[in-house]
């Protein structure tokens, strides 16, 4: 992956996430999936806005892909003094621990088909991991087969 310019600045998180969700609404509408931005409206982060948009869009796109019709994708966040933790939670099909272990490895190279046979390259999560790392943050995932998935990532608070 080519290095991109890292330009962190003050970003109002709610608005940044809303911009990403607006672009993904057609995908969600097509599958009758409810997208909800529950992030606090007064929370600022120190982030590269283009990278933040890419992170959110990749995670929400995956959440839509693996959520059956009529499901939901909720974005939330909480902050401590140094970092903001952003949660992308879906009511999707979930994944096994073996699948979770392979998510951020280049060995994976292919993704599992979505609930409407959507396809992907498996590279989106590698990009997410790289962009979050450039912010000094971490990415984590919790999932249970049949009970959905929650991706969590941290970026600096402002």
């Amino acid at each position: 992956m080519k290095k991109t310019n890292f330009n962190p600045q003050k970003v109002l998180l709610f608005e940044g996430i809303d911009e990403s969700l607006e672009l993904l609404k057609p995908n969600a509408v097509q599958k009758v999936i409810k997208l909800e931005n529950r992030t606090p409206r007064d929370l600022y982060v120190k982030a590269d806005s283009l990278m933040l948009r890419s992170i959110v869009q990749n995670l929400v796109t995956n959440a839509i892909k693996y959520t059956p019709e009529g499901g939901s994708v909720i974005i939330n966040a909480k902050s401590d003094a140094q970092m903001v933790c952003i949660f992308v939670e879906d009511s999707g099909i979930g994944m096994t621990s073996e699948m979770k272990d392979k998510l951020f490895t280049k060995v994976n190279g292919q993704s599992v088909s979505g609930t409407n046979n959507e396809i992907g390259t498996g590279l989106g999560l590698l990009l997410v991991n790289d962009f979050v790392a450039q912010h000094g943050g971490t990415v984590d995932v919790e999932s249970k087969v049949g009970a959905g998935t929650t991706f969590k990532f941290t970026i600096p608070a402002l």
Side-chain angles (χ1 to χ4, degrees), residues 17-106:
I17 288 175
D18 247 16
E19 287 173 13
S20 294
L21 294 183
E22 200 57 43
L23 295 170
L24 298 173
K25 266 187 186 165
N27 302 30
V29 167
Q30 189 175 15
K31 288 182 75 174
V32 196
I33 292 173
K34 180 180 174 185
L35 290 181
E36 202 173 334
N37 182 358
R38 292 187 185 168
T39 57
R41 292 180 179 264
D42 60 349
L43 191 57
Y44 286 89
V45 293
K46 185 173 184 176
D48 181 295
S49 60
L50 293 177
M51 286 185 183
L52 179 61
R53 181 183 296 173
S54 181
I55 293 165
V56 171
Q57 285 176 204
N58 270 293
L59 293 176
V60 172
T61 297
N62 283 348
I64 292 169
K65 184 191 303 187
Y66 297 112
T67 298
E69 289 191 8
S72 63
V73 177
I74 299 166
I75 296 90
N76 209 335
K78 68 178 183 180
S79 177
D80 65 25
Q82 278 81 37
M83 301 297 273
V84 172
C85 186
I86 300 157
F87 305 86
V88 178
E89 178 183 354
D90 68 53
S91 61
I93 59 175
M95 64 183 110
T96 64
S97 57
E98 293 81 22
M99 293 166 79
K100 285 189 333 187
D101 292 343
K102 294 179 185 174
L103 284 179
F104 299 105
T105 63
K106 291 179 182 164

